Amino acid sequence: MHYTLLVRCVAEFIGTAIMVALGNGSVANVELKGTKGFHGGWILIGFGYGIGVMIPAMMFGPISGGQINPAMTLALAFNGEFPWAEVGPYIIAQFLGAIFGQLMIVAAYKPYYNQTENVESILGTFSTIDAENSRLNGFINEFIGTFILVFGAVALTSDHIDPRADFIGLGFLVMCLVVSFGGPTGPALNPARDLGPRILHALLPLNPKGSSQWKYSWVPVLAPILGAIAAVKLYGLFF
């Protein structure tokens, strides 16, 4: 069934919002003081983000492709597998969805933001930071992680037989990436998931607030895009 561009963009908006709400929601549950999951550990975040990607991908994969990631959208377009005319609307929908998903987290966790004194913990519920304050380390981490994510996503869905079953594997891949490559940066693996909430962090009157770390903000945008383009190109070259 063919869906209009508007319907597909709505699917990308809702899918990205769900991804951010479930993924960053798990971060908020672990990082914010007073929650029932406070100090629950990195496995909890890995599980939250894995399922947070899997569920909207399964919901909207047959409608919009379940891209929910500007890096994936751009990579497909650069490799001739997605129309350039639809890139802008998709990316706008993804960024707006990420912001809306983050707003849901802030609304749900507002009392716990008020109790938390650690400004990096607060920022971590919005966007990523490099543990060593190294943009180079962050770039390498985000590039490798996104390359594996997109290469895996393309490989899993290439047979076009049952996309919903493929997205289950994708969810486990994201979960493993967060657990395996999450130590240095988070990781983002998705420009919308990082930049949209970071903009919101800069705008909201949080107390305490701290820096939005704009000097680092380009890393989880550019590195995932380049990693995704390289992954789709390499997969197409050999397979």
Side-chain angles (χ1 to χ4, degrees):
M1 182 176 180
H2 178 73
Y3 295 90
T4 66
L5 178 59
L6 176 61
V7 170
R8 287 183 282 125
C9 285
V10 169
E12 287 293 302
F13 172 88
I14 297 174
T16 309
I18 292 173
M19 175 193 67
V20 170
L22 296 181
N24 279 0
S26 69
V27 179
N29 193 23
V30 169
E31 293 292 336
L32 298 181
K33 187 176 180 180
T35 69
K36 293 186 181 296
F38 186 50
H39 286 168
W42 196 248
I43 299 297
L44 190 62
I45 294 173
F47 186 82
Y49 247 108
I51 302 301
V53 170
M54 182 182 73
I55 295 301
M58 292 180 70
M59 290 169 63
F60 299 114
I63 297 174
S64 67
Q67 297 177 21
I68 59 176
N69 186 340
M72 174 65 84
T73 301
L74 285 167
L76 294 174
F78 269 107
N79 287 279
E81 299 180 29
F82 189 76
W84 277 105
E86 297 183 359
V87 168
Y90 260 54
I91 290 178
I92 291 170
Q94 291 157 357
F95 269 95
L96 292 177
I99 292 171
F100 186 79
Q102 189 66 42
L103 280 171
M104 288 193 284
I105 295 169
V106 174
Y109 281 93
K110 188 61 170 66
Y112 309 100
Y113 279 107
N114 294 340
Q115 296 178 41
T116 304
E117 298 88 11
N118 189 323
V119 294
E120 287 201 353
S121 292
I122 291 174
L123 178 60
T125 69
F126 285 79
S127 55
T128 63
I129 52 178
D130 185 79
E132 288 295 316
N133 295 314
S134 168
R135 290 188 286 273
L136 176 60
N137 177 253
F139 190 96
I140 293 170
N141 181 260
E142 292 289 349
F143 183 93
I144 293 173
T146 309
F147 180 93
I148 296 173
L149 169 63
V150 173
F151 195 91
V154 173
L156 285 167
T157 59
S158 61
D159 56 16
H160 303 291
I161 295 175
D162 188 351
R164 286 193 171 93
D166 298 334
F167 289 134
I168 295 175
L170 178 62
F172 280 105
L173 175 58
V174 172
M175 187 184 306
C176 185
L177 282 169
V178 172
V179 172
S180 300
F181 283 87
T185 67
L189 312 175
N190 183 330
R193 163 263 183 274
D194 189 274
L195 184 57
R198 194 184 299 270
I199 292 171
L200 196 61
H201 178 271
L203 295 175
L204 288 177
L206 300 170
N207 185 30
K209 184 166 185 172
S211 170
S212 299
Q213 299 201 16
W214 287 107
K215 289 183 179 180
Y216 181 77
S217 64
W218 62 272
V219 172
V221 173
L222 182 60
I225 291 173
L226 295 179
I229 291 172
V232 175
K233 179 65 71 177
L234 189 67
Y235 186 88
L237 183 64
F238 288 103
F239 304 105

XYZ file of all heavy atoms in Angstrom, residues 29-78:
363
model
N 15.102 7.841 34.088
C 14.778 6.952 35.202
C 16.026 6.551 35.977
O 15.984 6.372 37.204
C 14.069 5.704 34.657
C 13.416 4.889 35.753
O 13.100 5.386 36.823
N 13.205 3.612 35.480
N 17.157 6.418 35.269
C 18.400 6.001 35.908
C 19.165 7.185 36.498
O 19.768 7.077 37.570
C 19.297 5.248 34.891
C 20.701 5.025 35.445
C 18.658 3.917 34.515
N 19.136 8.331 35.822
C 20.009 9.451 36.188
C 19.385 10.461 37.150
O 20.110 11.172 37.847
C 20.456 10.188 34.919
C 21.366 9.375 34.016
C 22.730 9.124 34.628
O 23.161 9.909 35.505
O 23.369 8.122 34.252
N 18.079 10.585 37.177
C 17.451 11.626 37.992
C 17.186 11.143 39.411
O 16.641 10.059 39.623
C 16.150 12.101 37.336
C 16.306 12.743 35.955
C 14.944 13.192 35.427
C 17.280 13.925 35.987
N 17.546 11.962 40.351
C 17.443 11.628 41.778
C 15.990 11.452 42.202
O 15.120 12.248 41.849
C 18.097 12.746 42.600
C 18.216 12.456 44.076
C 18.957 13.577 44.775
C 19.092 13.317 46.261
N 19.815 14.419 46.943
N 15.738 10.397 42.948
C 14.417 10.177 43.512
C 13.529 9.246 42.718
O 12.480 8.820 43.212
N 13.906 8.904 41.478
C 13.077 7.993 40.692
C 13.246 6.570 41.213
O 14.218 6.240 41.899
C 13.482 8.023 39.207
O 14.787 7.428 39.068
C 13.509 9.437 38.661
N 12.310 5.702 40.853
C 12.393 4.308 41.290
C 13.522 3.550 40.593
O 13.934 2.489 41.047
C 11.050 3.608 41.061
C 9.936 4.151 41.950
C 8.679 3.334 41.805
C 7.562 3.895 42.690
N 7.878 3.811 44.123
N 14.006 4.105 39.477
C 15.107 3.458 38.773
C 16.448 4.131 39.005
O 17.420 3.808 38.321
N 16.521 5.069 39.958
C 17.746 5.845 40.197
C 18.935 4.923 40.430
O 18.891 4.015 41.255
C 17.541 6.764 41.403
C 18.681 7.717 41.660
C 19.189 8.506 40.638
C 19.243 7.832 42.922
C 20.242 9.391 40.870
C 20.283 8.715 43.173
C 20.787 9.494 42.134
N 20.006 5.152 39.655
C 21.216 4.329 39.695
C 20.917 2.886 39.302
O 21.574 1.955 39.779
C 21.881 4.381 41.073
C 22.570 5.686 41.325
N 23.027 6.053 42.579
C 22.883 6.733 40.505
C 23.597 7.249 42.508
N 23.514 7.682 41.258
N 19.930 2.708 38.417
C 19.547 1.365 37.989
C 20.553 0.686 37.087
O 20.478 -0.522 36.873
N 21.480 1.454 36.524
C 22.545 0.847 35.739
C 22.368 0.995 34.238
O 21.279 1.278 33.735
N 23.485 0.783 33.534
C 23.528 1.003 32.095
C 22.706 -0.017 31.322
O 22.193 0.267 30.237
C 24.984 0.969 31.621
C 25.163 1.544 30.256
C 25.516 0.871 29.125
C 24.978 2.902 29.865
N 25.563 1.731 28.050
C 25.238 2.997 28.484
C 24.612 4.069 30.561
C 25.151 4.184 27.772
C 24.532 5.262 29.850
C 24.791 5.310 28.483
N 22.549 -1.229 31.858
C 21.746 -2.249 31.183
C 20.304 -1.774 31.033
O 19.656 -2.027 30.009
C 21.786 -3.583 31.951
C 23.212 -4.114 32.027
C 20.877 -4.611 31.294
C 23.821 -4.454 30.684
N 19.797 -1.083 32.040
C 18.432 -0.563 31.979
C 18.285 0.424 30.826
O 17.289 0.411 30.097
C 18.078 0.112 33.310
C 16.615 0.509 33.523
C 15.721 -0.714 33.512
C 16.465 1.266 34.834
N 19.298 1.268 30.631
C 19.266 2.227 29.533
C 19.378 1.504 28.190
O 18.671 1.838 27.231
C 20.401 3.255 29.690
C 20.156 4.103 30.950
C 20.509 4.152 28.457
C 21.290 5.048 31.296
N 20.256 0.510 28.109
C 20.382 -0.257 26.879
C 19.076 -0.928 26.500
O 18.668 -0.911 25.333
N 18.395 -1.503 27.482
C 17.107 -2.146 27.231
C 16.076 -1.115 26.781
O 15.329 -1.343 25.821
C 16.629 -2.845 28.509
C 15.386 -3.664 28.323
C 15.454 -4.941 27.803
C 14.148 -3.142 28.670
C 14.301 -5.693 27.624
C 12.990 -3.895 28.497
C 13.065 -5.177 27.969
N 16.054 0.048 27.454
C 15.090 1.083 27.105
C 15.269 1.581 25.689
O 14.293 1.759 24.941
N 16.523 1.804 25.276
C 16.762 2.307 23.928
C 16.566 1.230 22.869
O 16.096 1.513 21.762
C 18.147 2.959 23.810
C 18.005 4.439 23.586
C 18.323 5.347 24.579
C 17.491 4.928 22.392
C 18.148 6.708 24.392
C 17.311 6.283 22.190
C 17.646 7.162 23.189
O 17.443 8.507 22.994
N 16.915 -0.013 23.188
C 16.696 -1.089 22.223
C 15.220 -1.265 21.905
O 14.819 -1.296 20.732
N 14.414 -1.356 22.947
C 12.972 -1.487 22.744
C 12.392 -0.187 22.194
O 11.454 -0.197 21.400
C 12.271 -1.868 24.068
C 12.859 -3.177 24.605
C 10.767 -2.003 23.862
C 12.719 -4.360 23.670
N 12.983 0.949 22.612
C 12.509 2.250 22.130
C 12.678 2.429 20.639
O 11.921 3.177 20.012
N 13.657 1.778 20.048
C 13.822 1.800 18.587
C 12.965 0.713 17.948
O 12.336 0.935 16.905
C 15.304 1.612 18.208
C 15.457 1.392 16.699
C 16.114 2.835 18.634
N 12.920 -0.445 18.548
C 12.215 -1.575 17.945
C 10.716 -1.327 17.791
O 10.135 -1.598 16.724
C 12.430 -2.831 18.785
C 11.766 -4.079 18.218
S 11.989 -5.529 19.282
C 10.879 -5.126 20.641
N 10.072 -0.794 18.820
C 8.618 -0.653 18.797
C 8.141 0.318 17.699
O 7.288 -0.057 16.883
C 8.088 -0.218 20.185
C 8.349 -1.329 21.212
C 6.610 0.128 20.125
C 7.708 -2.660 20.869
N 8.656 1.549 17.623
C 8.193 2.418 16.537
C 8.594 1.916 15.156
O 7.867 2.145 14.174
C 8.837 3.768 16.849
C 9.967 3.473 17.752
C 9.564 2.272 18.535
N 9.744 1.228 15.058
C 10.128 0.669 13.762
C 9.129 -0.395 13.327
O 8.749 -0.467 12.144
C 11.534 0.080 13.842
N 8.685 -1.221 14.252
C 7.684 -2.232 13.934
C 6.339 -1.598 13.618
O 5.600 -2.063 12.746
C 7.543 -3.210 15.098
C 8.761 -4.089 15.323
S 8.563 -5.235 16.715
C 7.343 -6.365 16.040
N 6.016 -0.518 14.331
C 4.733 0.161 14.112
C 4.654 0.817 12.731
O 3.650 0.709 12.032
C 4.517 1.227 15.192
C 4.259 0.691 16.585
S 4.325 2.000 17.838
C 2.953 3.046 17.341
N 5.744 1.500 12.360
C 5.686 2.365 11.178
C 6.609 1.948 10.036
O 6.641 2.615 9.010
C 6.008 3.803 11.595
C 5.034 4.357 12.586
C 5.430 4.675 13.884
C 3.704 4.541 12.248
C 4.529 5.186 14.803
C 2.795 5.047 13.165
C 3.205 5.376 14.443
N 7.343 0.838 10.214
C 8.189 0.365 9.133
C 7.435 0.157 7.830
O 7.882 0.611 6.773
N 6.280 -0.512 7.860
C 5.542 -0.716 6.609
C 4.934 0.566 6.030
O 4.505 0.576 4.876
C 4.424 -1.686 7.033
C 4.924 -2.341 8.277
C 5.714 -1.276 8.979
N 4.888 1.639 6.824
C 4.276 2.891 6.350
C 5.331 3.848 5.812
O 5.263 4.290 4.653
C 3.485 3.557 7.490
C 2.338 2.645 7.937
C 2.947 4.931 7.042
C 1.584 3.148 9.141
N 6.329 4.175 6.633
C 7.318 5.183 6.244
C 8.720 4.612 6.068
O 9.648 5.335 5.709
C 7.372 6.292 7.304
O 7.890 5.789 8.520
N 8.881 3.338 6.347
C 10.203 2.735 6.375
C 10.785 2.680 7.772
O 11.807 2.053 7.998
N 10.113 3.368 8.716
C 10.588 3.367 10.097
C 12.006 3.877 10.215
O 12.800 3.365 11.010
N 12.346 4.904 9.456
C 13.719 5.419 9.475
C 14.043 6.103 10.796
O 15.100 5.859 11.382
C 13.928 6.382 8.304
C 13.785 5.714 6.945
C 13.914 6.693 5.784
O 14.475 7.779 5.918
N 13.382 6.307 4.634
N 13.167 6.975 11.265
C 13.253 7.698 12.548
C 14.668 8.176 12.863
O 15.058 8.240 14.034
C 12.655 6.876 13.717
C 13.350 5.531 13.918
C 11.161 6.665 13.501
C 12.838 4.749 15.141
N 15.436 8.502 11.843
C 16.834 8.879 12.018
C 17.304 9.629 10.776
O 17.383 9.034 9.697
C 17.685 7.621 12.237
C 19.125 7.929 12.579
O 19.635 9.009 12.316
N 19.803 6.944 13.167
N 17.638 10.922 10.878
C 18.117 11.665 9.705
C 19.354 11.057 9.062
O 19.545 11.185 7.847
C 18.431 13.053 10.276
C 17.579 13.178 11.488
C 17.518 11.793 12.062
N 20.206 10.405 9.855
C 21.394 9.772 9.286
C 20.998 8.664 8.318
O 21.587 8.525 7.236
C 22.282 9.217 10.401
N 20.000 7.873 8.680
C 19.517 6.826 7.792
C 18.869 7.424 6.549
O 19.115 6.972 5.419
C 18.512 5.940 8.541
C 17.843 4.900 7.664
S 18.991 3.662 7.015
C 19.051 2.534 8.411
N 18.057 8.460 6.741
C 17.390 9.105 5.609
C 18.409 9.652 4.614
O 18.296 9.439 3.402
C 16.473 10.238 6.110
O 15.506 9.694 7.021
C 15.752 10.911 4.962
N 19.410 10.359 5.117
C 20.429 10.940 4.242
C 21.274 9.859 3.587
O 21.627 9.962 2.402
C 21.321 11.892 5.037
C 20.684 13.245 5.394
C 21.527 13.973 6.434
C 20.527 14.103 4.145
N 21.606 8.812 4.316
C 22.425 7.738 3.751
C 21.704 7.060 2.592
O 22.307 6.789 1.542
C 22.768 6.713 4.834
N 20.417 6.797 2.763
C 19.641 6.184 1.687
C 19.558 7.107 0.477
O 19.661 6.661 -0.671
C 18.243 5.825 2.188
C 18.169 4.729 3.259
C 16.739 4.571 3.767
C 18.693 3.399 2.717
N 19.389 8.410 0.732
C 19.304 9.370 -0.369
C 20.633 9.482 -1.109
O 20.667 9.502 -2.351
C 18.869 10.737 0.165
N 21.724 9.553 -0.383
C 23.047 9.654 -1.010
C 23.362 8.434 -1.869
O 24.138 8.530 -2.832
C 24.134 9.826 0.054
C 24.447 11.258 0.375
C 24.035 11.812 1.580
C 25.151 12.058 -0.515
C 24.317 13.147 1.887
C 25.440 13.376 -0.219
C 25.018 13.933 0.978
